[in-house]
Amino acid sequence: MKRVLSILLMAASGPLALGVVDQTDIAALKQKASAGDPAAQVQVGMSYALSMPRDSKEAIKWFQMAADQGYADGEYRLAGMLDVGSSPPNPTEAIKWYTLAAKQGYKDAQYRLGVMYDQGRGTPKNPAEAAKWYTKAAEQGRPEAQYRLGEMYEQGLGVPQDYHQAMNWYMQAAEKNRPEAEYKVGYLYEHGQGVAVSRQQAIAWYQRSDKHGNALAEQALKALDQQ
């Protein structure tokens, strides 16, 4: 949960943790935020969201100000707080704000919206809708979306089963050093799904995944050694 929240709250230009901003900077940000600057409102909200202990109420207040101005980053971060940063969570309301940010082309919101439909958080499960939003995020280079889209094509969830497409998206995520995607690329090479069988390529990708800590890749390498 903490890892998910930290991902959601990370700014495009870098995280703003309370400990790395002095009080003068906080005061200046609050002044700009109070004057209606949505970027400053998001940064002030992040200072509360990332503080120890977290002040979810204040974070939501400032994110809401930015979101109400149609600021995509504010919409996304408000959704994140409602999704995983507050108690109790409000995934239904989170979907509303994820959707608004996603429709503005915000790739992180597109990915999280895909997750909501994929997992049935705040909405009934809808693999087709999940695949739609994963695709939008994947096309903008979000590796988690690329990997999950690869899985959906491999399994035929929400999209027609297509091993070529699965390999395409797995490879794009693997090239960004996602160990689970590296493993899948190796697996498809080993089994000749969407690509010609290549033991050499399978071993190379399994080794790469193994170096990045994927236990499944280690097991696959051992199995190949025994053949």
Side-chain angles (χ1 to χ4, degrees):
M1 185 68 74
K2 289 181 180 178
R3 180 177 178 274
V4 173
L5 182 60
S6 67
I7 291 170
L8 290 173
L9 294 175
M10 188 170 290
S13 58
L16 175 66
L18 190 62
V20 300
V21 180
D22 64 32
Q23 291 304 308
T24 302
D25 290 334
I26 290 289
L29 279 173
K30 282 188 174 180
Q31 186 174 8
K32 289 177 66 177
S34 296
D37 185 321
Q41 289 166 348
V42 166
Q43 288 184 300
V44 172
M46 287 175 67
S47 74
Y48 287 108
L50 298 177
S51 65
M52 293 295 176
R54 181 183 306 129
D55 190 335
S56 298
K57 184 177 180 180
E58 278 295 306
I60 288 172
K61 181 184 84 173
W62 290 101
F63 291 150
Q64 183 81 60
M65 290 181 187
D68 286 342
Q69 296 187 66
Y71 189 62
D73 195 30
E75 293 167 343
Y76 167 68
R77 297 182 197 287
L78 175 59
M81 288 299 298
L82 295 168
D83 183 10
V84 297
S86 58
S87 183
N90 189 340
T92 301
E93 186 71 6
I95 285 178
K96 167 188 168 182
W97 294 105
Y98 280 142
T99 301
L100 289 170
K103 287 182 176 179
Q104 293 194 60
Y106 199 108
K107 68 180 179 182
D108 296 333
Q110 291 168 342
Y111 168 68
R112 286 300 305 172
L113 191 55
V115 170
M116 302 299 272
Y117 284 110
D118 198 359
Q119 297 181 352
R121 284 179 54 77
T123 182
K125 283 190 176 185
N126 188 330
E129 194 70 9
K132 168 186 144 182
W133 290 107
Y134 283 147
T135 299
K136 290 179 182 295
E139 288 173 344
Q140 294 197 70
R142 177 79 189 235
E144 296 88 351
Q146 292 168 338
Y147 171 72
R148 182 58 185 141
L149 191 56
E151 284 191 311
M152 298 188 88
Y153 274 110
E154 183 184 2
Q155 299 168 23
L157 295 174
V159 291
Q161 188 176 51
D162 187 330
Y163 291 119
H164 292 282
Q165 282 288 352
M167 174 60 93
N168 170 49
W169 291 113
Y170 283 146
M171 183 64 78
Q172 290 191 51
E175 288 172 347
K176 297 181 179 70
N177 299 319
R178 299 295 303 186
E180 66 275 24
E182 293 166 344
Y183 167 78
K184 281 292 190 176
V185 170
Y187 181 90
L188 292 184
Y189 269 118
E190 181 183 357
H191 296 278
Q193 294 177 329
V195 68
V197 172
S198 174
R199 179 185 174 90
Q200 182 179 1
Q201 285 288 341
I203 290 172
W205 283 102
Y206 283 149
Q207 288 176 336
R208 181 166 164 171
S209 181
D210 181 38
K211 287 179 181 178
H212 290 145
N214 190 304
L216 290 175
E218 181 182 6
Q219 295 170 17
L221 287 167
K222 289 179 179 177
L224 283 174
D225 283 342
Q226 294 171 3
Q227 290 179 8

